[in-house]
């Protein structure tokens, strides 16, 4: 890494993707200029920008998995989460910023799936940045019309007796799905259960892993 | 149970500019899942204007209502958040 | 092009219900410059210089060709910049001169980002 300056390392100390060495693009040129102008104008500082990047990097599906696993094991927390997911996740210690969150619980008869048809709204302050497919034309277009076909592409086939509820994140709320707790996990502690909770299961394009698949 | 539902029709307007009401729901009738807000009107926020606080309703639509009775799973649903100025009271779309 | 809703005036970003192919599953890691764009958006909007809806408005007005030809964070920096100029945080002339100065530092991102 010939240009491995210290301020180009991720918070973990590892280099980011080695795009430092690629030819400068017009939009990268703009990013550098905008960032420097914002610092010069006193809007922000280099440290604040780095801190914001660290904050986002620290957010990951593991946070959501911990929330789900606790909901599976703690009746009062589950009730609080369904009543006000923002407050419940904050009370659990997660910094979700100003995000307004609704938790959607899957049951034997209900399967929830989340999409943003107008842009790419996502519960990023809990789960981190969205996967690329979530922002794709295909996912945004098709999920509200043929959710079961989209689910099938993710390997999820639901019986006709299950109602699929699609949630289009059109405005101020963000959504996290509470997948069903897998069979064969009686007596498991929350930390172990959390390892079964995938990112996709909290978007609704997946199910929680089963113990034998974990 | 469905008699208690508060049905609303999404206005079928098609203005230019920034709005957060998806076109596939315009003109469609759903029922209020819950009421949220008030939240500032994004149609004003988008242009840097002082925004009016509006109720925001989560409205639930059947796939049959949105895509027609021939859709594969007519009882599956779509929920969306719609600002109150896009909604007007309506009758249930179909006899049960 | 099938099953497009018949509403005249439907805008390109308003995709729900449109016909499209299989959901692509390829994934890329975010690079530093992309994370910086994300951070600039969060910081500048949280300080009231513009709103998320202001960002969306510019992204929408950039049009479908931008969606198809630019990456996500390329579109975002364009929209962040547009909003900051509209908010008077800096001028187009200041941006122009700084972009020229940035490009003069080197031919890679790493070189250009090092003052």
């Amino acid at each position: 890494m010939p240009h491995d300056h210290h301020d180009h390392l991720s918070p973990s100390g590892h280099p980011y993707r080695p795009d430092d060495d690629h030819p400068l693009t017009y939009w990268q040129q703009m990013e550098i200029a905008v960032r420097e102008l914002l610092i010069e104008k006193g809007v922000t500082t280099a440290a604040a920008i780095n801190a914001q990047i660290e904050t986002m990097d620290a957010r990951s599906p593991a946070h959501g998995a911990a929330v789900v696993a606790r909901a599976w094991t703690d009746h009062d927390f589950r009730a609080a989460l369904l009543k006000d997911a923002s407050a419940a996740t904050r009370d659990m210690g997660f910094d979700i910023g100003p995000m307004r969150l609704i938790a959607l619980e899957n049951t034997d008869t209900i399967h929830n799936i989340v999409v943003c048809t107008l842009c790419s709204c996502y519960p990023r302050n809990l789960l981190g940045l969205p996967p690329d497919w979530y922002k794709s034309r295909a996912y945004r277009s098709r999920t509200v019309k043929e959710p079961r076909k989209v689910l099938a592409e993710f390997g999820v086939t639901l019986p006709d007796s299950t109602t699929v509820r699609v949630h289009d994140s059109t405005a101020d709320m963000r959504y996290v799905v509470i997948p069903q707790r897998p069979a064969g996990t009686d007596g498991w502690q929350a930390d172990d259960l959390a390892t079964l909770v995938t990112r996709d299961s909290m978007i609704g394009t997946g199910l929680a892993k089963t113990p034998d698949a974990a | 149970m469905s008699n208690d539902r508060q049905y609303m029709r999404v206005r079928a307007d098609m203005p230019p500019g920034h709005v957060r009401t998806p076109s596939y729901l315009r003109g469609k009738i759903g029922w209020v899942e819950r009421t949220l807000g008030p939240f500032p009107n994004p149609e004003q926020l988008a242009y840097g204007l002082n925004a009016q606080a509006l109720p925001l309703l989560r409205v639930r639509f059947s796939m049959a209502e949105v895509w027609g009775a021939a859709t594969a799973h007519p009882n599956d649903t779509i929920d969306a958040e719609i600002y109150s100025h896009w909604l007007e009271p309506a009758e249930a779309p179909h006899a049960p | 092009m099938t099953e497009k809703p018949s509403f005249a005036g439907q805008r390109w970003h308003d995709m729900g219900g449109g016909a499209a192919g299989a959901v692509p599953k390829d994934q890329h890691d975010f690079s530093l410059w992309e994370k910086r764009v994300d951070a600039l958006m969060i910081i500048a909007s949280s300080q009231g210089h513009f709103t998320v809806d202001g960002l969306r408005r510019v992204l929408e007005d950039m049009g479908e060709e931008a969606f198809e030809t630019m990456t996500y964070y390329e579109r975002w920096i364009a929209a962040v910049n547009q909003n900051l100029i509209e908010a008077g945080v800096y001028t187009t002339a200041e941006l122009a001169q700084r972009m020229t100065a940035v490009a003069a530092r080197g031919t890679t991102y790493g070189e250009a980002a090092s003052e």
Side-chain angles (χ1 to χ4, degrees):
Chain A
M1 298 283 296
H3 302 291
D4 212 352
H5 307 296
H6 69 278
D7 61 338
H8 300 143
L9 297 181
S10 74
S12 66
H14 295 111
Y16 288 101
R17 223 169 48 153
D19 58 344
D20 272 17
D21 298 333
H22 291 193
L24 180 70
T25 69
Y26 178 80
W27 303 107
Q28 291 172 337
Q29 189 184 341
M30 182 178 290
E31 178 273 312
I32 297 166
V34 169
R35 175 162 45 86
E36 291 180 0
L37 286 170
L38 288 178
I39 292 169
E40 282 180 15
K41 300 283 182 183
V43 172
T44 188
T45 64
I49 294 166
N50 288 340
Q52 173 59 31
I53 291 174
E54 287 185 26
T55 297
M56 267 322 296
D57 276 345
R59 292 170 171 146
S60 84
H63 291 188
V67 171
V68 169
R70 183 160 174 204
W72 284 346
T73 54
D74 179 338
H75 283 292
D76 291 344
F77 180 77
R78 172 183 165 277
L81 186 68
L82 291 173
K83 183 162 180 276
D84 183 343
S86 302
T89 50
R90 280 194 196 101
D91 288 348
M92 208 174 150
F94 292 113
D95 169 19
I96 61 165
M99 181 171 69
R100 298 181 181 90
L101 189 65
I102 288 177
L104 307 161
E105 186 178 49
N106 289 350
T107 68
D108 288 340
T109 57
I110 303 286
H111 182 90
N112 296 285
I113 178 171
V114 181
V115 63
C116 174
T117 63
L118 296 174
C119 49
S120 51
C121 298
Y122 186 78
R124 67 203 316 262
N125 285 7
L126 181 66
L127 302 184
L129 296 172
D132 288 348
W133 57 257
Y134 187 85
K135 303 184 280 190
S136 70
R137 175 187 293 276
Y139 188 76
R140 289 170 51 185
S141 299
R142 294 174 51 217
T143 303
V144 288
K145 190 169 188 182
E146 46 185 30
R148 291 171 190 258
K149 289 183 181 174
V150 171
L151 283 165
E153 290 175 24
F154 284 86
V156 176
T157 305
L158 299 168
D160 287 349
S161 56
T162 296
T163 298
V164 174
R165 294 210 189 289
V166 182
H167 301 268
D168 191 352
S169 298
T170 51
D172 295 274
M173 310 308 290
R174 301 293 175 267
Y175 299 92
V176 62
V177 175
I178 309 173
Q180 280 196 281
R181 179 170 172 166
T185 59
D186 290 353
W188 283 39
Q189 300 297 306
D191 285 353
D192 296 322
L193 287 167
T195 65
L196 304 177
V197 183
T198 63
R199 177 194 67 201
D200 288 7
S201 76
M202 293 181 282
I203 302 173
T205 52
L207 307 176
K209 289 185 284 189
T210 53
D212 52 310
Chain B
M1 147 190 136
S2 63
N3 292 337
D4 296 334
R5 288 177 177 170
Q6 181 188 3
Y7 285 95
M8 301 290 240
R9 180 194 303 276
V10 182
R11 294 185 58 85
D13 306 338
M14 290 300 285
H18 177 76
V19 302
R20 296 298 293 179
T21 306
S23 60
Y24 72 89
L25 293 176
R26 297 187 201 170
K28 305 299 183 185
I29 294 173
W31 63 97
V32 177
E33 189 267 342
R34 73 181 87 175
T35 300
L36 303 160
F39 291 115
N41 183 353
E43 296 165 22
Q44 294 167 309
L45 288 179
Y47 301 96
L49 304 171
N50 290 325
Q52 180 187 4
L54 297 172
L56 179 68
L57 288 83
R58 290 197 86 236
V59 183
R60 179 164 292 170
F61 304 84
S62 72
M63 288 282 178
E65 167 67 8
V66 177
W67 306 117
T71 194
H73 294 272
N75 295 321
D76 287 351
T77 64
I78 303 169
D79 291 11
E81 300 154 49
I82 312 285
Y83 293 92
S84 58
H85 65 297
W86 275 91
L87 296 170
E88 48 202 13
E91 300 295 316
H94 304 291
Chain C
M1 300 291 284
T2 60
E3 295 189 286
K4 275 266 185 185
S6 58
F7 294 122
Q10 183 184 4
R11 302 188 73 207
W12 71 270
H13 70 278
D14 186 0
M15 294 181 181
V23 178
K25 302 288 176 43
D26 41 316
Q27 178 66 30
H28 85 288
D29 294 332
F30 297 106
S31 56
L32 176 59
W33 90 274
E34 292 176 310
K35 292 184 180 202
R36 282 173 165 164
V37 173
D38 199 272
L40 294 178
M41 161 58 197
I42 299 298
I43 290 169
S45 61
S46 71
Q47 293 194 8
H49 295 290
F50 59 91
T51 64
V52 173
D53 285 291
L55 183 88
R56 292 172 177 149
R57 183 250 312 166
V58 174
L59 292 169
E60 292 160 11
D61 289 351
M62 286 168 68
E64 190 161 22
E65 186 184 346
F67 180 80
E68 299 292 356
T69 60
M70 293 166 67
T71 67
Y72 188 78
Y73 282 108
E74 287 175 347
R75 285 178 275 128
W76 265 44
I77 189 60
V80 166
N81 173 62
Q82 179 70 30
N83 273 272
L84 289 170
I85 288 176
E86 290 176 5
V89 176
Y90 52 76
T91 65
T92 301
E94 287 176 305
L95 177 75
Q97 290 163 25
R98 181 57 55 104
M99 284 182 70
T100 297
V102 165
R105 294 177 194 154
T107 57
T108 66
Y109 181 78
E111 289 166 352
S114 302
E115 288 181 80

